[in-house]
Amino acid sequence: VRKAITSGQITDEVDAVVQPKRQVRADALRNEDAVLEAAKAIFVTAGVEAPVREIAARAGVGLGTLYRRFPKRSDLVAAVFRREVDGCAAEATALATQLPPGEALATWLRRYMQFIATKRGLAAALHSGDPAYNSLPDYFQANFVPALKSLLDKAVADGKVRPGIVPYDLLRAIGNLSAASGEDGLEHSQRMVDLLIDGLKFGAAATAEKTTA
Amino acid sequence: VRKAITSGQITDEVDAVVQPKRQVRADALRNEDAVLEAAKAIFVTAGVEAPVREIAARAGVGLGTLYRRFPKRSDLVAAVFRREVDGCAAEATALATQLPPGEALATWLRRYMQFIATKRGLAAALHSGDPAYNSLPDYFQANFVPALKSLLDKAVADGKVRPGIVPYDLLRAIGNLSAASGEDGLEHSQRMVDLLIDGLKFGAAATAEKTTA
């Protein structure tokens, strides 16, 4: 008993179903973003074990809304982490449009070091074995490796950095250098990341010298 | 009831007491060295919890002799560590006489990285809180900082490295870079230490360019 329908009817029917869904989806995204922003701020001051009630209150959403989207605390922690990875990776694109290639690379590597240095507490949670965190290392690499590769390629093309540097090698080195403890740990890490950046430039200078000699 | 004695008498009496002691001391040193050499080799293959009996057997000394000198396992572990620090620091002096300043510095930094990379198991023991290990961080710094400073100063004087590098900064950075895990961890650490070394040279090259310009 199927009825012949015109394409106009289909469109109307689809609209009737999709339109409210879009609205719901927009609200949900707005709520989700508010929760993630609130959670990020509260995790920094109170750690990733901070009361979920506080996060919901700060975000201006009900506790039910928060739990519907993030049933477990680890879901929320993982989402905050992914959002911050997105933000840091996006900065690579922004810097590439604002600075000369060599400076964009150096600035982003320092920014990345800050990112890592402020994630020490989170890193401990990530190694807890909770399945919500399983995909994060891949997410991390899938975003940061292309971001850094793009900056490196531009700096190499501009003659500011030697070719042949493996992006993941640098990310890993900065991660290890950021593990410096003590009250001067961050300043030490910054100096040593700057020294690594100089190392990247050294090869380029040598190549340039050879070329002009 | 004190008797007047001549200086010749004193000398004879001192000799009579000291001579056998010297012999005992020489034997003790030889035994100690054999024990430390054996312990070092056995710790590498079997870890620092290896049976003391095996160490004594390999050193060719009695178990009593070993325990008299090293009452606790931690005394033995600490002594092996100090001896290896001595050896690695002494290589700095040797390299300075064999290679040009820049190469001596680079070679020793790579050697130091190997030293650290092979001490991961030992490092865990050192952080166990055993009082026998309390003095080791100081011993480590008291030997390595002057060893590296001497190599750095010579390389700076030779125009191969920029001035102003803090030796302890470099030791610390190499320590952190050596923490890379995974089966390619050592190769990764080597590449990144080489990049740091290039960073040291970069500043010098820039200075040299400015000077000659």
Side-chain angles (χ1 to χ4, degrees):
Chain A
V1 210
R2 298 183 67 180
K3 284 196 294 181
I5 48 173
T6 66
S7 65
Q9 270 180 310
I10 290 179
T11 309
D12 287 347
E13 280 170 21
V14 167
D15 271 1
V17 176
V18 167
Q19 211 54 28
K21 274 199 181 162
R22 271 202 194 125
Q23 189 54 46
V24 169
R25 182 80 192 126
D27 287 349
L29 277 177
R30 210 168 15 245
N31 281 341
E32 180 174 323
D33 202 58
V35 167
L36 292 177
E37 192 62 35
K40 177 190 162 185
I42 287 179
F43 287 167
V44 166
T45 53
V48 293
E49 296 300 325
V52 173
R53 191 175 299 273
E54 276 180 33
I55 295 168
R58 184 179 179 126
V61 306
L63 208 51
T65 303
L66 193 155
Y67 276 123
R68 205 153 37 240
R69 176 62 191 84
F70 305 106
K72 286 183 291 137
R73 175 181 299 273
S74 53
D75 297 323
L76 184 56
V77 173
V80 168
F81 184 76
R82 271 193 295 268
R83 188 164 173 271
E84 292 200 53
V85 168
D86 293 345
C88 185
E91 280 186 55
T93 316
L95 286 169
T97 66
Q98 294 159 4
L99 294 172
E103 286 176 49
L105 172 66
T107 305
W108 189 79
L109 288 174
R110 289 187 198 107
R111 171 71 186 82
Y112 174 78
M113 199 220 78
Q114 294 275 353
F115 174 88
I116 298 295
T118 56
K119 297 288 170 298
R120 290 275 137 209
L122 196 55
L126 297 188
H127 289 101
S128 65
D130 191 303
Y133 303 139
N134 284 352
S135 66
L136 291 185
D138 283 346
Y139 192 82
F140 187 94
Q141 279 199 48
N143 280 272
F144 284 143
V145 167
L148 175 52
K149 185 177 185 319
S150 167
L151 290 172
L152 267 172
D153 287 349
K154 289 189 181 81
V156 169
D158 199 40
K160 293 297 185 293
V161 160
R162 82 169 102 174
I165 301 289
V166 178
Y168 182 59
D169 241 5
L170 268 188
L171 296 175
R172 201 173 165 189
I174 292 175
N176 288 328
L177 287 174
S178 304
S181 55
E183 58 182 31
D184 69 332
L186 186 60
E187 283 144 54
H188 163 77
S189 302
Q190 280 165 338
R191 283 196 298 276
M192 295 302 103
V193 168
D194 283 347
L195 199 54
L196 268 192
I197 294 170
D198 284 348
L200 297 174
K201 296 183 207 160
F202 177 73
T207 311
E209 273 165 38
K210 268 183 211 157
T211 314
T212 52
Chain B
V1 214
R2 298 182 68 180
K3 285 196 293 179
I5 48 173
T6 67
S7 65
Q9 271 179 311
I10 291 178
T11 311
D12 287 349
E13 280 168 23
V14 168
D15 271 3
V17 176
V18 168
Q19 213 52 31
K21 274 197 181 162
R22 270 198 196 126
Q23 189 52 48
V24 170
R25 183 80 192 126
D27 287 350
L29 277 178
R30 210 166 17 244
N31 281 341
E32 181 174 324
D33 202 60
V35 167
L36 293 177
E37 192 62 35
K40 178 190 161 183
I42 287 178
F43 287 166
V44 167
T45 52
V48 293
E49 295 301 325
V52 173
R53 191 175 299 274
E54 274 180 34
I55 296 169
R58 185 180 177 122
V61 306
L63 207 52
T65 303
L66 193 155
Y67 276 124
R68 206 154 35 241
R69 176 62 191 83
F70 305 105
K72 287 182 289 138
R73 176 181 298 272
S74 54
D75 298 323
L76 183 57
V77 173
V80 169
F81 184 76
R82 270 193 296 268
R83 188 164 172 270
E84 292 199 54
V85 169
D86 293 346
C88 184
E91 279 186 57
T93 316
L95 287 168
T97 67
Q98 294 159 4
L99 294 171
E103 286 176 50
L105 173 66
T107 306
W108 189 79
L109 287 174
R110 289 186 198 109
R111 170 71 185 82
Y112 173 78
M113 198 220 80
Q114 293 276 355
F115 174 89
I116 298 295
T118 56
K119 297 290 169 300
R120 290 277 137 209
L122 196 54
L126 297 187
H127 288 101
S128 65
D130 191 303
Y133 304 138
N134 284 351
S135 66
L136 291 185
D138 284 346
Y139 191 83
F140 188 93
Q141 279 200 47
N143 280 272
F144 284 142
V145 167
L148 175 53
K149 185 176 185 320
S150 167
L151 290 172
L152 267 173
D153 287 349
K154 288 190 181 82
V156 169
D158 199 40
K160 294 297 185 293
V161 162
R162 82 169 103 175
I165 300 290
V166 177
Y168 182 58
D169 243 4
L170 268 188
L171 296 175
R172 201 172 166 189
I174 292 174
N176 287 328
L177 288 174
S178 306
S181 54
E183 59 183 30
D184 68 333
L186 186 60
E187 282 144 56
H188 162 77
S189 302
Q190 280 166 337
R191 283 195 299 276
M192 295 303 103
V193 168
D194 283 346
L195 199 54
L196 269 191
I197 293 170
D198 284 347
L200 297 174
K201 295 185 208 158
F202 177 73
T207 311
E209 272 165 39
K210 267 181 210 159
T211 313
T212 51

